[in-house]
Amino acid sequence: MSPVNDTRSYQSIKSLPVDFKYAGDQGVDRTMLPDTISENAEELRDTSEGAANGRGHTGSDSDESPYGSSSVPAKDEAPLADDGDDHKDPRTPVPLVKRSYADSKWSDTTPYASKKKIQSWVQLPDGNWELGTVIQTTGNNSVITLPEGKVLQVSSETLIPANPDILDGVDDLMQLSYLNEPSVLYNLQYRYDRDLIYTKAGPVLVAVNPFKKVLLYGNDYIEAYKRKSLDNPHVYAITDTSMREMIRDEVNQSIIISGESGAGKTETAKIAMQYLAALGGGSGIEYEILKTNPILEAFGNAKTLRNDNSSRFGKLIEIHFSETGKISGAKIQTFLLEKSRVVQCSEGERSYHIFYQLCAGASPSLREKLNLKNADEFKYLRQSNCFTISGVDDAEQFRIVLDALDIVHVSKEDQDSVFAMLAAVLWLGDVSFTSIDSENHVEPVIDEGLTTVATLIGCKVEELKLALSTRKMRVGRRNDTIVQKLTLAQAMDTRDALAKSIYSCLFDWLVEQINKSLAVGKRRTGRSISILDIYGFESFERNSFEQFCINYANERLQQHFNRHLFKLEQEEYIQDGIDWAKVEFEDNQDCLNLFEKKPLGLQSLLDEESTFPNGTDLSFANKLKQHLSANPCFQGEREKAFRVRHYAGEVTYDTTGFLEKNRDLLHLDSIELLSSCTCPLPQVFASSMLNQSEKPVVGALHKSGGADSQKLSVTTKFKSQLFQLMQRLESTTPHFIRCIKPNNFQSPGSYDQGLILQQLRCCGVLEVVRISRSGFPTRMSHQKFARRYGFLLLDHVASQDPLSVSVAILHQFNILPEMYQVGYTKLFFRTGQIGVLEDTRNRTLHGILRVQSCFRGHKARCLLREFRRGIVTLQSFIRGEKVRKEYAGILRRHRAAISIQKNARARILRKKFNRVRGAATSMQSVIRGWLVRRCSGDIGLLQFGGRKGNEPEEVLVKSSFLAELQRRVLRAEAALREKEEENDILHQRLQQYENRWSEYELKMKSMEEVWQKQMRSLQSSLSIAKKSLAFDDSQRNSDASVNGAEESSWDTGNNLRIQENGGRPTTAGLSVIGRLAEEFEQRSQVFGDDAKFLVEVKSGQTEASLDPDHELRRLKAMFEAWKKDYGSRLRETKVILNKLGGEEGSSADKARKKWWGRRNSTRMG
């Protein structure tokens, strides 16, 4: 650093903290200050200054400030007001600030002036930091007291300054006056003890895993962060920022969540997804996205020694949004599933959760179908002697997985196939082998395990047996195929490889089905937010190939983190000509070169050794030691081990199994076995593996053990995936969340300073805070800045070039010179300054929108009134035309109704007139007939009684009688007129009874027909009786005439006696028949009159206090009784007549015989 830069003016320093202010700045417009400065920032500064002053004056050469030392005259210092108000002194002159750049990277933790009784941090022998108070200083030694009363004598140079009490628990580490490791540790612990697990470190969010449920989540918090009513550090705040920047800048965003295993990365990713679902939900797809978490956790997470729910794969969830900010789809990409966990687990760990969930939660029918046993009965699962997780119900988790599979549209048939594959993997571990010869060749034992696997995957037992015990190889130039028997170790490796391949393909197939469900019918617009949840840095007692790949991925992610926050940041400052003091940080490029360099890198040498058929793990380790010993990040160890110095610390790797895992060989025999299965999923797996084998091979090949196909090595595929991931992340605006694990025991409330400090160093949190506090995190090109804020200026200024417009905007709004710098192409701002301009812009836009809204409202109201008038006019015409048409129709209907009514009334009146006339005629005829009959009867009586009287008396009687008849006629006519009036009154009632009359009339007609039939029957019986009687009479007369003609000598006395005897019976029979006929006529007349009367009562023509229906039934019963009686008397009459006819015949015969005897005797004489 040049001497010129050692003493620079205040204006030239551009790396001050965001809460720096002039003394006596009460005249500054508060709205122009950064919105990230806390409301009590001034109070904090004054308090810290007062605290420092109260503890003693440190002198002008003190180096205690993290921003460099400053010399301020005592007379210019602003004293604290008694009431806590702002300073009243005028603005002090700008002091000169002297900063030393020869210190270590912790330039703000240089030896602290400990001459006074002030608090400082001291490191104890166990490595922990403790806050103590300096009570005495002698030379280079200081005496310090600890809170528990213990007194220590330490070197003054080892003391690190502590922040004032008022800064305890600040939510942003940038607000700390002294940025050092113990201060950061104490601040995190202060917040952690109060369940404030989130802390900002500049642009990075630090999340400390609480290992318990904290009340920081839910719909209320989501709404609060959505409305900006809460601004505390939170995953919601980071996610909300990414969402707003995506919409505002139209740039894809990414949220990179990193940390060690057990630090809470998976839960943090789920929380971020929940906020995005709440913010961009509404289409329903967000529910499906959230339901992918239980599926991926069940199939990709497992219990390890450090974490009960450790992700054994990496995933990138890319959530797409529509133009309106609503979620329109998603895509999930996975990286490096730990397949070896399927067949091998360490003590105290578990395999993947889904195996235990299936064994615990499967229904009885599913257990029977899959032939499932308990988890502790399967060989693959009982290796670790760990089957449950405290506080986790595997059966309940299995039901959650089933519901999630339904939601992401995995059919029931596919679910059954998935569970069959899982059961097949478990049963493969129970397949055992037996020796078949002296060379240790083996074959599988045909037991329950082998037959169950064959049934579940849909193949024959013999085919599975051959695939596990033999291997086909091609030899010679003609590629002749030979069959090699396998030893026990080779057979077990083949079995385990088949199990791992089935599970790996099943996992990839599930992810593919999920992606189909999330992408079907979804329209992507190019806007997306990617959430990266990938395994954290791992260092165990024994680190194998999986840790090798995981730590390489973390090195690459740390490189991306460094590039974004350090390298690119500082390179951009230099390229744009910004006055900038470069910040040193630990770069991990050397470690990446150790992994990626060709041809002598770890990965290249691993792929090279994997191509040799005779390559072993030991030969690979020796090759590494031979070629990489000069690399500073590499150190060879004994036998198969080597050590790599990662950014997070040194890790020792054991190369045992490296070559086999890197080859990841599944022989063609196993692939052919899967392709021949009847179940659909194994066929899909085989097809997928064959397609991967047919892809062009880039890099090292391997051909070992007679494999017929060439495959990419695992490291090559993983490196390719990682490079694609980095390219995708480079095209997005990243947001970093660093998850911290407070202890290794997953114990709530436990805070291990050493463990946390190691993770903070690995994450580079302190460097991030320093560079953010001293740098310019916000930058914008001149064109974009002028385009975005140029409208705030006058027209003649806004029309200039972008640089002039940008400078004019900065001067217009009094942005302090130390809060920005103007580069060649961009403007650089300190934290919070762009927020001032955004607030002004938003207020101006709001005012413009208010004016526009008022004008547009006025214009819209005028247009509305015009439209309303036009609409009213149009409606009046339309409604008038419509009403006229309706009136014309109504008029036509009215006329038609009048015509119909006229005709109907005429018809009714005609019917009424005809009925009245008929009734009058009937009454007249009846009355006249009655009068005539009565008159004729009187006249006959008069004539019969006055035959011997005089003629004038007869005429007198007739005149009086005729006068009486005339009077009766007049009364009848008067009665007729009254009846006509009554008929008019009863006409309306008659209309009401017409319907009832018609029904009754039908009944009466039917009864009349019955009565007529019965009358005709009686009449026919009577006529027959008359005819029979007349016939007998005529026969007797004819016999008498014949006898008189033949014999004229009948005795006169006898003849007369015969005639008298024959005439009396005949006269008696005729009189009986006459009486019966007269009775029949009378009864007919009576029944007819009664029936007619009841009809008139029923129809309402005649009023009577009786029930017509009851009387009709009674009349019918009387008629039936009379008919029965009349029939019996008619039969008796016929019998009597027959008897009379017999007696008459016998007497005639006797007379004829007597006469005949006399005649014969006469002749004889």
Side-chain angles (χ1 to χ4, degrees):
M1 185 65 65
S2 62
V4 178
N5 291 333
D6 290 342
T7 57
R8 292 180 296 171
S9 64
Y10 175 81
Q11 288 87 344
S12 65
I13 296 179
K14 303 300 188 294
S15 59
L16 292 176
V18 297
D19 56 347
F20 184 88
K21 286 177 57 178
Y22 287 103
D25 58 351
Q26 68 277 8
V28 179
D29 186 4
R30 288 284 182 173
T31 60
M32 297 301 171
L33 293 177
D35 56 359
T36 58
I37 300 177
S38 60
E39 295 178 357
N40 60 351
E42 190 172 321
E43 182 183 355
L44 298 181
R45 187 192 70 252
D46 294 340
T47 306
S48 62
E49 290 176 0
N53 293 335
R55 293 167 183 164
H57 188 37
T58 60
S60 61
D61 58 346
S62 175
D63 245 354
E64 62 191 37
S65 172
Y67 318 116
S69 59
S70 61
S71 178
V72 182
K75 63 181 179 179
D76 293 333
E77 292 182 359
L80 285 173
D82 294 337
D83 55 355
D85 294 338
D86 292 345
H87 305 308
K88 305 299 181 180
D89 294 343
R91 183 172 304 217
T92 59
V94 178
L96 293 178
V97 179
K98 182 178 180 181
R99 181 185 178 98
S100 174
Y101 293 92
D103 300 327
S104 64
K105 67 176 184 178
W106 299 105
S107 58
D108 51 356
T109 60
T110 53
Y112 184 65
S114 55
K115 299 178 181 179
K116 303 296 180 182
K117 294 182 180 180
I118 56 178
Q119 289 185 328
S120 300
W121 291 104
V122 61
Q123 191 170 20
L124 302 179
D126 59 0
N128 291 333
W129 292 91
E130 191 74 28
L131 183 64
T133 303
V134 177
I135 58 176
Q136 185 181 359
T137 301
T138 304
N140 293 329
N141 295 328
S142 298
V143 178
I144 188 170
T145 60
L146 302 181
E148 63 270 15
K150 187 176 181 180
V151 179
L152 296 177
Q153 183 177 358
V154 296
S155 174
S156 300
E157 295 183 353
T158 61
L159 296 179
I160 295 179
N163 290 288
D165 294 341
I166 198 170
L167 293 180
D168 290 347
V170 293
D171 58 6
D172 193 342
L173 298 180
M174 291 178 63
Q175 298 178 11
L176 295 176
S177 297
Y178 302 107
L179 183 65
N180 47 59
E181 290 181 350
S183 295
V184 171
L185 284 174
Y186 175 74
N187 193 77
L188 292 177
Q189 183 175 8
Y190 185 93
R191 296 178 60 81
Y192 179 74
D193 291 341
R194 290 157 180 80
D195 289 340
L196 301 174
I197 61 174
Y198 297 113
T199 306
K200 288 190 67 176
V204 178
L205 178 68
V206 179
V208 184
N209 192 345
F211 294 116
K212 65 179 181 179
K213 294 185 180 297
V214 292
L215 301 178
L216 294 176
Y217 313 103
N219 294 330
D220 295 338
Y221 280 90
I222 291 175
E223 289 298 324
Y225 280 95
K226 188 187 302 184
R227 297 192 307 266
K228 291 292 185 182
S229 59
L230 279 180
D231 57 355
N232 298 330
H234 202 288
V235 178
Y236 291 163
I238 294 291
T239 311
D240 186 81
T241 300
S242 65
M243 185 77 172
R244 295 179 186 274
E245 290 185 5
M246 180 194 70
I247 296 175
R248 183 190 69 194
D249 301 334
E250 297 184 357
V251 177
N252 293 340
Q253 309 289 308
S254 60
I255 301 175
I256 301 174
I257 305 171
S258 59
E260 289 191 7
S261 177
K265 300 184 300 298
T266 301
E267 291 299 319
T268 302
K270 292 194 309 189
I271 294 169
M273 292 170 62
Q274 289 172 1
Y275 187 83
L276 287 178
L279 206 63
S283 61
I285 188 66
E286 71 278 0
Y287 189 61
E288 296 183 26
I289 295 175
L290 293 178
K291 283 301 180 181
T292 61
N293 289 321
I295 301 174
L296 295 178
E297 287 185 15
F299 285 85
N301 289 23
K303 180 185 183 303
T304 63
L305 294 176
R306 296 186 177 184
N307 187 4
D308 288 343
N309 190 32
S310 177
S311 297
R312 308 317 299 164
F313 71 106
K315 66 179 176 182
L316 178 71
I317 302 177
E318 188 176 3
I319 302 175
H320 294 266
F321 294 84
S322 64
E323 296 178 355
T324 58
K326 299 299 181 182
I327 296 177
S328 60
K331 182 180 179 182
I332 299 175
Q333 183 179 359
T334 59
F335 310 96
L336 193 66
L337 178 70
E338 187 183 8
K339 296 189 290 186
S340 61
R341 185 168 291 271
V342 175
V343 299
Q344 184 178 3
C345 290
S346 301
E347 184 74 20
E349 296 187 350
R350 292 205 323 177
S351 185
Y352 291 103
H353 295 325
I354 188 62
F355 292 122
Y356 306 91
Q357 294 171 2
L358 178 64
C359 293
S363 62
S365 59
L366 183 60
R367 296 181 68 89
E368 182 180 359
K369 180 179 178 181
L370 303 180
N371 195 19
L372 278 179
K373 301 184 292 185
N374 295 328
D376 56 358
E377 299 180 50
F378 287 108
K379 179 181 177 181
Y380 280 161
L381 302 183
R382 66 170 178 259
Q383 299 177 75
S384 62
N385 293 323
C386 180
F387 307 102
T388 59
I389 300 176
S390 177
V392 177
D393 185 356
D394 288 324
E396 178 63 25
Q397 293 300 317
F398 184 71
R399 286 189 287 273
I400 295 175
V401 171
L402 289 179
D403 295 338
L405 289 173
D406 292 334
I407 291 173
V408 298
H409 309 297
V410 177
S411 65
K412 293 296 184 182
E413 294 78 9
D414 289 341
Q415 292 182 30
D416 293 340
S417 299
V418 168
F419 299 143
M421 293 301 103
L422 293 175
V425 170
L426 293 177
W427 278 107
L428 270 174
D430 290 351
V431 173
S432 57
F433 300 90
T434 181
S435 281
I436 57 175
D437 55 26
S438 60
E439 297 181 1
N440 199 26
H441 293 150
V442 296
E443 66 177 6
V445 177
I446 302 179
D447 55 5
E448 184 183 15
L450 190 69
T451 56
T452 303
V453 172
T455 302
L456 291 174
I457 66 176
C459 70
K460 297 179 180 179
V461 176
E462 290 299 325
E463 294 177 353
L464 179 60
K465 181 179 177 181
L466 287 175
L468 295 179
S469 60
T470 61
R471 183 178 301 168
K472 296 178 182 178
M473 299 181 64
R474 295 178 182 178
V475 296
R477 295 182 179 180
R478 294 181 298 178
N479 288 331
D480 295 333
T481 301
I482 63 173
V483 178
Q484 177 186 6
K485 296 181 180 179
L486 301 181
T487 62
L488 178 61
Q490 291 174 334
M492 294 179 65
D493 289 342
T494 301
R495 178 199 64 187
D496 293 345
L498 179 60
K500 291 188 293 184
S501 298
I502 290 177
Y503 190 82
S504 176
C505 291
L506 176 63
F507 184 79
D508 294 338
W509 179 85
L510 265 178
V511 173
E512 181 181 357
Q513 298 303 311
I514 292 173
N515 286 333
K516 289 180 181 179
S517 172
L518 299 181
V520 170
K522 311 299 186 297
R523 182 171 55 87
R524 299 182 179 179
T525 61
R527 298 180 183 178
S528 65
I529 296 178
S530 301
I531 300 176
L532 179 64
D533 173 18
I534 200 165
Y535 14 63
F537 183 83
E538 292 185 351
S539 178
F540 304 119
E541 293 183 0
R542 181 182 180 277
N543 300 286
S544 186
F545 179 75
E546 290 78 16
Q547 284 71 41
F548 178 81
C549 295
I550 288 172
N551 292 339
Y552 164 62
N554 279 271
E555 287 286 351
R556 177 54 64 184
L557 288 175
Q558 183 66 24
Q559 169 80 338
H560 176 71
F561 179 76
N562 292 341
R563 279 177 55 82
H564 180 72
L565 292 179
F566 302 131
K567 278 187 178 180
L568 297 181
E569 189 94 3
Q570 299 190 103
E571 288 176 3
E572 189 172 8
Y573 292 160
I574 295 173
Q575 291 175 2
D576 240 62
I578 299 301
D579 187 7
W580 168 255
K582 188 174 182 179
V583 177
E584 298 296 332
F585 63 92
E586 186 174 351
D587 193 3
N588 66 337
Q589 187 60 49
D590 292 340
C591 186
L592 285 175
N593 292 336
L594 173 64
F595 276 89
E596 299 173 352
K597 188 177 180 180
K598 295 181 180 181
L600 298 178
L602 288 173
Q603 294 175 341
S604 299
L605 293 175
L606 178 60
D607 286 344
E608 178 183 344
E609 192 68 18
S610 298
T611 59
F612 299 137
N614 297 326
T616 62
D617 298 327
L618 181 60
S619 64
F620 169 62
N622 293 332
K623 182 176 289 188
L624 293 181
K625 299 171 186 176
Q626 177 184 354
H627 294 285
L628 301 178
S629 298
N631 193 298
C633 296
F634 179 85
Q635 181 179 350
E637 299 289 334
R638 292 183 178 181
E639 297 181 353
K640 300 180 182 180
F642 65 93
R643 182 180 299 176
V644 175
R645 184 168 60 84
H646 291 279
Y647 76 96
E650 292 187 353
V651 179
T652 301
Y653 296 99
D654 185 356
T655 60
T656 302
F658 262 54
L659 297 184
E660 187 67 24
K661 292 178 181 179
N662 187 48
R663 291 166 180 165
D664 191 26
L665 179 62
L666 184 67
H667 290 277
L668 189 59
D669 303 301
S670 300
I671 299 177
E672 290 177 350
L673 172 69
L674 294 177
S675 63
S676 65
C677 293
T678 57
C679 295
L681 277 185
Q683 297 177 3
V684 174
F685 299 162
S687 176
S688 175
M689 286 185 282
L690 290 176
N691 290 336
Q692 291 180 1
S693 301
E694 293 172 0
K695 291 181 179 179
V697 178
V698 179
L701 307 178
H702 92 266
K703 183 184 293 185
S704 174
D708 297 312
S709 61
Q710 297 174 346
K711 293 179 58 179
L712 291 173
S713 66
V714 173
T715 55
T716 302
K717 289 189 295 185
F718 181 62
K719 182 179 178 181
S720 175
Q721 287 182 334
L722 201 58
F723 271 58
Q724 293 177 2
L725 173 64
M726 291 299 108
Q727 290 177 358
R728 181 176 300 176
L729 295 179
E730 289 287 348
S731 64
T732 64
T733 300
H735 304 268
F736 295 96
I737 300 178
R738 294 295 195 183
C739 296
I740 303 296
K741 182 171 62 173
N743 59 79
N744 285 324
F745 309 104
Q746 304 179 29
S747 175
S750 178
Y751 192 86
D752 187 343
Q753 287 189 2
L755 178 63
I756 294 175
L757 185 58
Q758 178 189 0
Q759 296 175 72
L760 292 176
R761 289 171 178 172
C762 294
C763 297
V765 170
L766 299 177
E767 287 87 348
V768 169
V769 176
R770 291 177 61 245
I771 196 172
S772 298
R773 191 156 67 174
S774 60
F776 302 90
T778 306
R779 71 284 315 272
M780 193 177 296
S781 65
H782 299 317
Q783 292 81 3
K784 185 175 181 180
F785 187 81
R787 184 171 59 252
R788 188 169 184 82
Y789 305 106
F791 72 93
L792 301 174
L793 302 175
L794 300 177
D795 292 340
H796 68 280
V797 180
S799 60
Q800 298 177 7
D801 61 282
L803 179 58
S804 301
V805 172
S806 300
V807 175
I809 293 171
L810 296 174
H811 288 293
Q812 171 94 16
F813 294 97
N814 297 325
I815 304 297
L816 298 178
E818 65 272 11
M819 294 301 173
Y820 71 90
Q821 281 202 19
V822 180
Y824 299 142
T825 60
K826 296 178 182 178
L827 289 173
F828 294 80
F829 296 91
R830 294 197 185 276
T831 302
Q833 295 307 305
I834 201 69
V836 177
L837 292 175
E838 280 293 315
D839 290 341
T840 305
R841 178 178 181 271
N842 291 336
R843 286 195 302 270
T844 306
L845 286 177
H846 182 69
I848 293 173
L849 290 176
R850 290 291 302 272
V851 174
Q852 288 180 347
S853 65
C854 293
F855 174 73
R856 289 171 179 168
H858 172 71
K859 187 176 179 181
R861 284 188 292 273
C862 294
L863 187 60
L864 177 62
R865 285 194 292 269
E866 184 179 352
F867 281 164
R868 184 175 292 172
R869 287 194 296 269
I871 291 172
V872 169
T873 304
L874 184 60
Q875 286 178 343
S876 64
F877 284 117
I878 294 176
R879 289 171 179 170
E881 181 66 23
K882 185 177 179 181
V883 169
R884 283 190 289 272
K885 289 182 178 179
E886 291 178 354
Y887 175 73
I890 292 172
L891 188 60
R892 287 195 299 271
R893 289 196 296 271
H894 179 69
R895 290 173 180 172
I898 291 175
S899 178
I900 292 172
Q901 289 176 355
K902 179 178 66 176
N903 294 328
R905 288 170 180 170
R907 183 181 178 186
I908 292 171
L909 291 175
R910 281 194 295 271
K911 286 184 177 180
K912 178 182 176 182
F913 173 74
N914 292 332
R915 283 198 302 271
V916 172
R917 187 173 62 182
T921 303
S922 299
M923 291 176 66
Q924 288 176 356
S925 62
V926 171
I927 293 172
R928 287 170 182 170
W930 178 74
L931 293 175
V932 170
R933 284 193 296 274
R934 182 174 177 182
C935 180
S936 60
D938 291 343
I939 293 172
L941 291 174
L942 290 174
Q943 289 178 353
F944 179 77
R947 286 180 183 177
K948 298 179 180 180
N950 297 324
E951 190 67 23
E953 183 180 359
E954 182 180 353
V955 175
L956 180 60
V957 173
K958 286 184 179 180
S959 298
S960 62
F961 183 73
L962 290 176
E964 180 64 26
L965 287 178
Q966 289 177 357
R967 286 192 301 270
R968 292 184 179 181
V969 169
L970 292 175
R971 285 197 301 270
E973 289 177 351
L976 179 61
R977 285 192 297 269
E978 291 177 358
K979 290 297 182 181
E980 288 178 353
E981 293 175 357
E982 292 177 357
N983 287 338
D984 293 336
I985 296 174
L986 296 174
H987 176 68
Q988 295 180 354
R989 294 178 61 187
L990 181 62
Q991 290 181 345
Q992 298 176 358
Y993 287 103
E994 280 182 352
N995 294 332
R996 296 171 61 186
W997 164 248
S998 59
E999 296 177 358
Y1000 193 80
E1001 196 173 27
L1002 292 175
K1003 291 182 179 180
M1004 292 303 301
K1005 286 182 179 180
S1006 63
M1007 291 180 63
E1008 286 178 359
E1009 290 176 358
V1010 173
W1011 287 352
Q1012 288 176 3
K1013 289 179 180 179
Q1014 294 175 353
M1015 291 297 182
R1016 284 195 295 271
S1017 175
L1018 293 175
Q1019 287 178 355
S1020 61
S1021 300
L1022 185 59
S1023 61
I1024 291 171
K1026 286 182 179 181
K1027 287 179 181 180
S1028 62
L1029 184 59
F1031 177 74
D1032 293 337
D1033 205 8
S1034 62
Q1035 187 175 10
R1036 284 191 296 270
N1037 292 333
S1038 62
D1039 291 339
S1041 60
V1042 171
N1043 292 332
E1046 291 179 356
E1047 184 61 49
S1048 58
S1049 62
W1050 276 49
D1051 185 77
T1052 303
N1054 292 334
N1055 193 16
L1056 290 173
R1057 193 165 40 251
I1058 291 172
Q1059 288 179 2
E1060 288 178 0
N1061 292 333
R1064 282 197 300 270
T1066 300
T1067 304
L1070 289 176
S1071 63
V1072 172
I1073 291 173
R1075 286 195 302 272
L1076 288 175
E1078 183 179 358
E1079 182 181 359
F1080 179 79
E1081 292 296 337
Q1082 290 178 359
R1083 288 288 186 174
S1084 298
Q1085 183 66 30
V1086 171
F1087 285 126
D1089 292 341
D1090 291 344
K1092 187 174 182 181
F1093 174 73
L1094 291 177
V1095 169
E1096 291 177 354
V1097 173
K1098 182 72 174 178
S1099 61
Q1101 295 179 2
T1102 303
E1103 295 184 358
S1105 58
L1106 50 85
D1107 185 2
D1109 295 330
H1110 176 69
E1111 293 296 331
L1112 183 61
R1113 289 193 295 270
R1114 191 175 64 83
L1115 181 62
K1116 184 177 180 182
M1118 291 173 59
F1119 177 74
E1120 293 293 336
W1122 172 79
K1123 183 181 71 170
K1124 184 176 181 182
D1125 180 64
Y1126 186 78
S1128 62
R1129 284 189 288 144
L1130 187 59
R1131 287 192 294 274
E1132 291 176 357
T1133 303
K1134 291 174 67 175
V1135 171
I1136 294 171
L1137 292 177
N1138 290 332
K1139 288 182 179 181
L1140 292 175
E1143 292 177 357
E1144 182 181 358
S1146 61
S1147 59
D1149 291 338
K1150 289 179 181 179
R1152 283 194 297 272
K1153 289 180 180 179
K1154 189 175 180 181
W1155 168 76
W1156 185 260
R1158 287 197 302 268
R1159 185 179 179 185
N1160 289 335
S1161 63
T1162 303
R1163 289 178 180 177
M1164 290 178 61

